[in-house]
Amino acid sequence: MRALILALSILAIVDSAHVAKAGLSSMPRETLAPADTAIATDEATQETEDQIGLTKAKRREVQRGLTRLGFDTKVNGKFDESTRAVIARWQEEHGYPTTGFLNAAQHKVLMDAATEAGKSEHQDRRRAGSRARYSRGVGGPIGAIGGAVHSVVGGVAGLFRR
């Protein structure tokens, strides 16, 4: 009987291993080259950024977008030195001249990429939420026993579903 329980426990662990994804991604970030080389050679300056008409709210959107794309910055609506450095890193990664200022084309590319990244994150959270709904926390020895039983029962049920 113990051998059967052990075998079923191992099967449950192996079967549920695909759910456990944690840690930093080892995949490189997708880098996008500018669509138009003329735009890439246009240097962004304070003047080109002023032409976009970025209000404090729109500056926050840019900062959130940069963070969503993996360029962490404070979201305060001010383009201070640290935000300018983050914009310059984003520009460098995308093949733009690294000025720390945006022009209209760069702003559009940045916001479009941030929107796509946000959609992807939302879908990932929804997928994770559908799995997490059935998981339970360990919560001490009783919870650990219940979790093990739940895993074994889930593993056995999984064998019959296939």
Side-chain angles (χ1 to χ4, degrees):
M1 184 68 169
R2 288 183 186 166
L4 177 64
I5 292 172
L6 179 63
L8 291 175
S9 298
I10 292 170
L11 281 173
I13 291 168
V14 169
D15 185 48
S16 64
H18 72 280
V19 175
K21 291 182 184 176
L24 298 174
S25 174
S26 61
M27 295 185 61
R29 253 189 275 187
E30 185 177 316
T31 57
L32 301 173
D36 185 3
T37 55
I39 293 172
T41 57
D42 266 355
E43 267 197 21
T45 62
Q46 181 69 57
E47 186 180 332
T48 61
E49 193 171 90
D50 290 343
Q51 291 171 355
I52 302 171
L54 296 175
T55 62
K56 190 169 186 171
K58 288 184 180 182
R59 289 176 189 262
R60 282 190 195 113
E61 288 177 23
V62 169
Q63 290 169 327
R64 282 188 197 102
L66 287 163
T67 300
R68 202 173 290 133
L69 293 171
F71 299 91
D72 196 26
T73 185
K74 288 187 289 185
V75 179
N76 58 9
K78 298 176 187 172
F79 282 4
D80 54 10
E81 287 183 32
S82 64
T83 302
R84 295 283 179 208
V86 170
I87 291 172
R89 283 198 336 259
W90 176 83
Q91 288 171 324
E92 180 179 21
E93 189 169 297
H94 289 79
Y96 295 113
T98 55
T99 62
F101 294 95
L102 296 172
N103 61 26
Q106 293 172 6
H107 179 257
K108 180 173 177 10
V109 170
L110 171 64
M111 297 314 295
D112 288 349
T115 301
E116 285 302 312
K119 288 178 185 177
S120 174
E121 286 174 9
H122 179 70
Q123 290 171 348
D124 291 346
R125 279 195 306 268
R126 288 187 66 194
R127 280 190 217 110
S130 64
R131 286 191 305 268
R133 185 177 11 197
Y134 299 106
S135 67
R136 299 282 187 259
V138 174
I142 302 299
I145 294 169
V149 170
H150 178 73
S151 293
V152 170
V153 171
V156 172
L159 290 173
F160 291 108
R161 278 185 283 191
R162 295 179 189 167

